[in-house]
Amino acid sequence: MKVLENKTLCFHCNTEIDGISIIRKEHGVEREYCCNGCSEISHLLLENGLDQFYQIRGTQSLEPIDREFQKNSPEELDNESVYSEYLEKKNGPDSNVYITVTNLHCSACVWLIETVLTKKEGIQEARINFGTGRLKIGFDLSKITLGKIIKTIESLGYKAKLYSPLKAESKVEKPFRELSIRMIVAGFCWGNIMLFSASLYAGYFEGMELNIKNLFHYISWIFATPVYFYSGYPFWKGAYESWKRKLLGMDTLLFAGVSLAYFYSIYVTVSGKGEVYFDSVCTIYFFILLGKYFEAMIRYKAGAKIGELLSLLPEEYEVSKKGVWSKHSASFIERGDLVRLSLGSKAPVDGILESETAFFDESVLTGESKPIRKSRGAEVKAGSVSLSTDVKFQAKGNTNESSLAQIGRILEDSLLTKPKIQRSTDKLAAVFIKIVLFVAIGTFIYWFQFHSTEDAILNTISVLIVACPCALGLSVPAALVISHLLQSKEGVLVKNPESVEILAKANRIFFDKTGTLTTGKLELNAEKYFVSDKNPSRFREIAIRLESRSSHPIAKSIIEAFANQTPEFLEEISTDIIADNSSNNPPDWTSYKEIPGEGMEAKFAGKTYRIGKKNFAWENKPENDGWVHLAENGIPLVAWEFRDKARPEAKSSIQELRSFFSNMEILSGDIPSKVETLSKELGIQNFKANLTPIQKKERIIEAQSSGEVVLMLGDGINDSACIAQADLGISMGMGSDLSLDKSDIILVKNRLDSLPKSVLIARKTRSVILQNICLSLVYNSIMIPLAAGGLMLPVICAGFMTLSSLTVVLNSISLKHRVFT
Amino acid sequence: MNALYLTIPIALMISFGAFYIFLLNLKSGQYEDIEGPKYRILFEEDKQDKSN
């Protein structure tokens, strides 16, 4: 037992024990744990004689383990399609597999996983790459299965996900690697050519034997050629592409300058008269590639971080394979399987509708957000969101449209697409390029007229090189990519690249209450009966039965709140949900319906049960008392009052947000008294209670029409309309697929304190972008006249140009320090 | 000074050769995990202690 500031720390994960501790006696020593997960892992370690893990770990604390997260089940992983996708066959039964382990903390974790795995029979090799967290396992398929390996890693408390190096390679890693090699080649040649250049410069001033000078010219040519052709390939391509579209791009200018320098130098080398400028070619390409390399590295890191965050979002579907229902992740759905969707969840694959009728939101596919009614036999398109409860359909193929895959793709695009601020910079750059070309031509004519051809060519090269608007071109993307990376480190996924600007400008924020400002975990506070038959467990069973089909966070926490009282029943119902579909045994509970913002309805033995708000369950008056009512055929049975706590981090987060937003407001469907208590507790000035989703949306429109830039933070299906309406919609990571879909920003870690950080990052990003643009304009307006006046040699121009590019990139990188200090 | 005609090409060949080897190593993935080895030295020792 460790005591720190009078708080007990968990023996395993070294975090503070909040509430009840679990005490377990191991080898005669009593140890306290924060949860069962920790106690089990610790037990496992001691059993296997691996307790030196605790020495390696030291005083570092581990992330508390979420046992529920373990979504891989061994049977799922051990099938041919997974094997063929992820296994790398070696000889005989030996194979390699790559696994991404997500929550590694320190070297102790690496040691632990490697040691435990290599002790298993059948595993020959297990090695984790410290940099990427990727685990490579060599194992004998006849002795141990893939499922068991994953289970072992998960039983240690880590999140494991299969990883296919081939698939990832093509997307991000390959271009990144290519760019690094181009940069390294340019760097190597640059380093070498400068040695000879220095001699040539010395020779220029001190005199040099003509033969030696010629030799050095040829050697410089040898070094400059791979740089010009191989390292410069991206610029060739860029220049060619802008040429094809009849545009002047940044690459055009750069390429024109460098080509002029390169070919003029070849002419000098061959003719043996004048000075060469091969070193300028190398300098400029090397440093620009260096800038691009930094940018790509951050992009690559951001991409990896995004992948990691995506794996934290919930994704599970009820799937029936050969008549057996169980929960699977989307990638295990195959042709012919039945899939069940709850309200607000997204169809992971294309399929044929099996339910009588259902409503879908196909806005992701068509842009039209009107609900579309479909009847049995109609086609369900992957990506469309179910607006009905309990929709069944038959899969027509396997997935690549699951909500995660989709969000992943959107995010990948958002790393590449240009937001408005970048488009306006590009326009500025286009004007700039025209001016530079004009100046270059003017320079050439002037020097040609009044001096020599050599001077004319030289100074034109200088102008073209020094004016390369790369700083302008690099400044915005570099800052944006870094802001992406910082956001993802905070657990914030930015789906829409425009968000940075809106987030920086917004002055009003609306909050949903339940599940957003509060934990959404309900505790039973009071209970009142309307009937003489006071059988709490029967009523609770009905409630659980009804809510089990709802995806609403309140439904989930009602089930949790009641589960303590009726644990056996809960076991039963989960097997029930799975079993009630076999066709020869018709289910007793039918026609589940969920009305967003109101409640659930279903039929059992000819009776209609409703659970939810009072006005929905039995009384047809627009009145809401904040209780959850259960009614049978419109006759009230019982009502429960639940208490909902504010999130522990809510108060401090609101405090921080106050410095960014002049106006904060809670929009809630709950009763005024509850909303008021919360708004007082958190210090939010305004609140509106008893709102329907439509009224919430109207409130947002009202605020927008008064010229305010509005943020909306919500989580549930009933918030999706507001999230879509607001200038910037933000959703909590545990929200429904629909609200994740409509929002621009997702707080994946499901914590409110990510938001103030995110706003701060956005504001700092915006100021860095503006600084960068100013910097590069100031630099150019000083340097271009100097170059045109013949005051600078091309290589010095190249030096200054690269300096400006690097300044901009480094300024962007400094974002990191500005945000966190 | 004529020696330069011999020594410079030799120097070039050596440096290009070394660079080529570096590129080969890069492609074989030798630089992919530069963090791990420093910790691994410590681990291996511990492991051997256990098996004894």
Side-chain angles (χ1 to χ4, degrees):
Chain A
M1 193 174 86
K2 290 163 193 169
V3 176
L4 189 81
E5 293 163 7
N6 296 327
K7 291 268 173 47
T8 316
L9 298 178
C10 172
F11 181 77
H12 177 75
C13 66
N14 217 22
T15 49
E16 236 170 67
I17 296 174
D18 180 23
I20 313 149
S21 64
I22 293 162
I23 297 171
R24 192 165 176 162
K25 230 178 180 176
E26 307 270 8
H27 305 300
V29 187
E30 260 186 19
R31 282 167 178 162
E32 282 188 62
Y33 300 99
C34 64
C35 61
N36 263 323
C38 284
S39 116
E40 243 148 68
I41 292 169
S42 169
H43 177 69
L44 197 83
L45 290 180
L46 295 175
E47 286 284 282
N48 290 302
L50 298 173
D51 43 334
Q52 53 169 314
F53 170 74
Y54 297 107
Q55 283 146 34
I56 298 180
R57 185 203 65 194
T59 53
Q60 195 160 359
S61 62
L62 313 182
E63 224 167 278
I65 292 137
D66 187 358
R67 302 296 279 181
E68 280 176 29
F69 190 77
Q70 301 175 6
K71 55 184 175 188
N72 293 313
S73 64
E75 311 80 55
E76 244 175 31
L77 293 168
D78 291 322
N79 67 47
E80 266 316 304
S81 65
V82 177
Y83 281 1
S84 64
E85 194 174 347
Y86 291 103
L87 286 198
E88 205 178 77
K89 291 258 182 284
K90 290 196 294 192
N91 38 356
D94 292 355
S95 331
N96 278 337
V97 68
Y98 294 86
I99 293 169
T100 312
V101 185
T102 331
N103 49 349
L104 291 171
H105 314 90
C106 57
S107 53
C109 302
V110 173
W111 171 83
L112 178 65
I113 295 174
E114 286 184 354
T115 319
V116 170
L117 282 177
T118 37
K119 282 195 173 195
K120 288 246 162 200
E121 207 205 331
I123 297 183
Q124 296 124 355
E125 188 203 1
R127 264 181 115 72
I128 295 180
N129 180 329
F130 276 64
T132 57
R134 225 158 265 151
L135 169 63
K136 181 187 176 191
I137 299 178
F139 69 110
D140 183 344
L141 203 53
S142 61
K143 289 193 182 134
I144 190 165
T145 63
L146 193 52
K148 277 194 191 131
I149 293 175
I150 298 263
K151 268 282 141 199
T152 310
I153 302 169
E154 287 186 340
S155 71
L156 293 171
Y158 299 95
K159 288 164 197 164
K161 210 179 166 197
L162 288 173
Y163 164 82
S164 164
L166 286 176
K167 251 199 303 189
E169 180 85 344
S170 55
K171 266 187 187 162
V172 215
E173 283 179 21
K174 207 176 157 208
F176 176 60
R177 195 171 298 176
E178 250 177 41
L179 181 64
S180 354
I181 293 179
R182 281 184 213 285
M183 194 258 315
I184 290 168
V185 168
F188 168 77
C189 293
W190 177 74
N192 280 293
I193 206 171
M194 286 321 275
L195 291 175
F196 294 97
S197 277
S199 315
L200 283 171
Y201 286 121
Y204 181 77
F205 294 109
E206 309 255 314
M208 190 178 211
E209 213 178 299
L210 201 64
N211 286 342
I212 298 296
K213 189 177 170 185
N214 276 339
L215 175 66
F216 281 15
H217 282 180
Y218 277 101
I219 291 169
S220 298
W221 187 7
I222 292 175
F223 280 115
T225 304
V227 178
Y228 181 72
F229 288 101
Y230 175 71
S231 300
Y233 175 73
F235 308 105
W236 278 92
K237 219 173 101 188
Y240 173 69
E241 266 161 22
S242 10
W243 178 259
K244 241 182 15 192
R245 276 181 278 143
K246 299 204 166 61
L247 288 168
L248 286 171
M250 318 222 177
D251 288 339
T252 320
L253 211 53
L254 179 71
F255 184 66
V258 171
S259 300
L260 201 56
Y262 181 72
F263 288 108
Y264 173 72
S265 301
I266 290 180
Y267 165 75
V268 168
T269 308
V270 174
S271 69
K273 277 177 281 178
E275 305 298 329
V276 296
Y277 298 98
F278 287 123
D279 47 353
S280 309
V281 174
C282 291
T283 313
I284 208 153
Y285 274 168
F286 172 53
F287 282 99
I288 288 183
L289 285 170
L290 196 64
K292 279 190 182 245
Y293 171 80
F294 279 138
E295 196 200 321
M297 188 172 67
I298 297 156
R299 203 185 287 276
Y300 172 60
K301 274 194 190 162
K305 196 79 201 164
I306 282 170
E308 222 172 85
L309 281 183
L310 278 178
S311 69
L312 294 177
L313 286 177
E315 188 191 47
E316 242 180 10
Y317 295 91
E318 278 182 61
V319 182
S320 155
K321 288 182 184 260
K322 297 169 198 144
V324 184
W325 287 94
S326 54
K327 295 205 166 178
H328 289 277
S329 58
S331 50
F332 293 99
I333 297 170
E334 283 165 0
R335 191 192 170 89
D337 292 348
L338 278 181
V339 182
R340 175 147 54 203
L341 299 176
S342 55
L343 175 69
S345 67
K346 191 191 271 178
V349 294
D350 285 330
I352 306 286
L353 191 64
E354 290 260 322
S355 308
E356 279 310 318
T357 52
F359 286 91
F360 284 96
D361 177 340
E362 293 189 345
S363 58
V364 182
L365 310 163
T366 58
E368 175 67 59
S369 66
K370 248 192 232 157
I372 294 165
R373 186 197 165 97
K374 296 201 165 175
S375 41
R376 185 192 284 273
E379 197 180 343
V380 177
K381 287 182 199 126
S384 54
V385 176
S386 162
L387 297 177
S388 317
T389 322
D390 198 24
V391 174
K392 270 173 239 157
F393 72 98
Q394 194 175 33
K396 276 206 318 198
N398 42 23
T399 172
N400 45 29
E401 287 296 335
S402 74
S403 44
L404 286 194
Q406 195 126 16
I407 293 177
R409 221 166 306 139
I410 292 172
L411 285 166
E412 241 161 53
D413 290 348
S414 82
L415 279 177
L416 299 172
T417 46
K418 295 177 175 181
K420 210 168 107 205
I421 190 158
Q422 189 169 353
R423 285 200 300 271
S424 24
T425 327
D426 285 354
K427 263 184 217 155
L428 185 68
V431 175
F432 176 82
I433 288 167
K434 274 180 202 147
I435 296 173
V436 172
L437 269 186
F438 197 70
V439 173
I441 292 168
T443 309
F444 185 84
I445 293 171
Y446 170 82
W447 288 92
F448 187 73
Q449 283 282 327
F450 300 104
H451 299 266
S452 65
T453 320
E454 198 188 331
D455 279 344
I457 290 177
L458 258 182
N459 291 324
T460 312
I461 293 174
S462 293
V463 169
L464 286 175
I465 287 178
V466 84
C468 163
C470 297
L472 212 53
L474 274 174
S475 61
V476 182
L480 283 177
V481 168
I482 288 182
S483 109
H484 256 292
L485 179 68
L486 293 178
Q487 299 274 17
S488 17
K489 279 199 174 147
E490 285 304 314
V492 180
L493 279 185
V494 181
K495 271 167 63 186
N496 178 353
E498 309 275 337
S499 307
V500 177
E501 246 187 311
I502 305 173
L503 202 55
K505 275 196 298 201
N507 48 6
R508 184 185 268 266
I509 182 163
F510 288 106
F511 298 100
D512 169 51
K513 186 179 81 78
T514 314
T516 306
L517 292 175
T518 65
T519 56
K521 286 218 169 76
L522 303 179
E523 285 162 20
L524 189 59
N525 194 29
E527 201 171 20
K528 67 182 170 197
Y529 293 94
F530 299 99
V531 286
S532 49
D533 158 35
K534 294 181 181 175
N535 182 353
S537 63
R538 187 176 83 90
F539 295 146
R540 283 171 191 179
E541 280 178 21
I542 296 174
I544 293 177
R545 176 90 58 183
L546 283 162
E547 299 285 29
S548 63
R549 287 292 168 79
S550 169
S551 60
H552 197 279
I554 293 184
K556 284 182 188 145
S557 50
I558 288 179
I559 295 175
E560 256 173 52
F562 286 162
N564 296 331
Q565 278 103 4
T566 49
E568 311 80 33
F569 172 68
L570 203 68
E571 286 274 305
E572 194 183 303
I573 195 167
S574 58
T575 45
D576 227 33
I577 288 183
I578 288 162
D580 79 1
N581 215 77
S582 40
S583 49
N584 37 7
N585 184 9
D588 293 327
W589 285 85
T590 53
S591 34
Y592 282 93
K593 233 187 269 166
E594 183 168 1
I595 290 89
E598 301 290 340
M600 284 292 293
E601 181 192 289
K603 287 199 173 80
F604 174 68
K607 289 172 189 158
T608 305
Y609 288 92
R610 281 182 165 196
I611 189 167
K613 286 182 182 165
K614 188 180 181 183
N615 56 347
F616 165 74
W618 56 278
E619 204 175 56
N620 263 334
K621 272 189 238 162
E623 184 198 336
N624 178 16
D625 58 1
W627 291 57
V628 175
H629 289 254
L630 178 68
E632 182 184 82
N633 283 339
I635 301 155
L637 297 175
V638 63
W640 295 285
E641 194 191 28
F642 290 98
R643 221 180 17 204
D644 192 4
K645 275 190 295 187
R647 284 173 184 271
E649 77 277 12
K651 196 165 181 188
S652 57
S653 308
I654 297 293
Q655 204 96 46
E656 282 180 60
L657 283 173
R658 199 168 295 143
S659 55
F660 299 124
F661 300 100
S662 48
N663 227 322
M664 295 193 264
E665 190 170 329
I666 304 178
L667 300 179
S668 175
D670 214 340
I671 53 167
S673 66
K674 281 192 186 176
V675 186
E676 194 179 352
T677 324
L678 186 78
S679 82
K680 281 218 179 96
E681 188 190 334
L682 299 179
I684 298 174
Q685 313 92 328
N686 303 318
F687 66 90
K688 288 224 155 46
N690 265 338
L691 297 182
T692 62
I694 296 175
Q695 284 171 322
K696 285 187 183 181
K697 188 177 160 184
E698 278 165 359
R699 178 76 193 91
I700 289 177
I701 296 175
E702 192 188 315
Q704 282 173 325
S705 61
S706 66
E708 283 174 312
V709 182
V710 176
L711 302 188
M712 169 78 203
L713 175 66
D715 70 327
I717 294 157
N718 50 345
D719 301 321
S720 57
C722 311
I723 286 176
Q725 175 62 42
D727 294 292
L728 194 71
I730 306 170
S731 73
M732 304 301 284
M734 292 297 152
S736 69
D737 282 354
L738 189 61
S739 56
L740 294 186
D741 239 24
K742 304 265 178 197
S743 57
D744 307 292
I745 290 180
I746 305 171
L747 307 182
V748 178
K749 288 197 177 150
N750 213 29
R751 289 177 62 91
L752 270 182
D753 43 9
S754 313
L755 187 61
K757 270 277 160 57
S758 173
V759 178
L760 182 70
I761 294 169
R763 298 202 171 192
K764 296 271 181 189
T765 305
R766 193 155 169 256
S767 70
V768 161
I769 287 175
L770 293 178
Q771 276 170 17
N772 281 351
I773 293 174
C774 287
L775 255 172
S776 76
L777 287 180
V778 167
Y779 152 85
N780 277 306
S781 50
I782 297 172
M783 288 301 162
I784 295 175
L786 287 182
L791 295 167
M792 309 228 296
L793 281 171
V795 72
I796 297 172
C797 291
F800 272 108
M801 199 246 73
T802 52
L803 197 68
S804 81
S805 296
L806 286 181
T807 314
V808 161
V809 171
L810 292 177
N811 189 32
S812 304
I813 290 175
S814 79
L815 242 182
K816 201 160 128 192
H817 305 286
R818 295 189 206 191
V819 171
F820 294 107
T821 46
Chain B
M1 276 307 224
N2 280 341
L4 282 182
Y5 290 105
L6 183 68
T7 48
I8 287 180
I10 291 175
L12 283 186
M13 265 155 67
I14 293 173
S15 69
F16 272 109
F19 187 61
Y20 179 68
I21 292 170
F22 168 73
L23 284 184
L24 284 186
N25 290 344
L26 186 75
K27 280 203 173 143
S28 74
Q30 250 192 48
Y31 301 96
E32 262 164 33
D33 185 11
I34 45 175
E35 273 286 290
K38 68 178 179 196
Y39 295 109
R40 273 217 174 77
I41 299 172
L42 305 169
F43 294 172
E44 313 285 349
E45 227 170 32
D46 289 350
K47 252 187 250 172
Q48 271 167 6
D49 279 0
K50 282 198 68 54
S51 57
N52 292 340

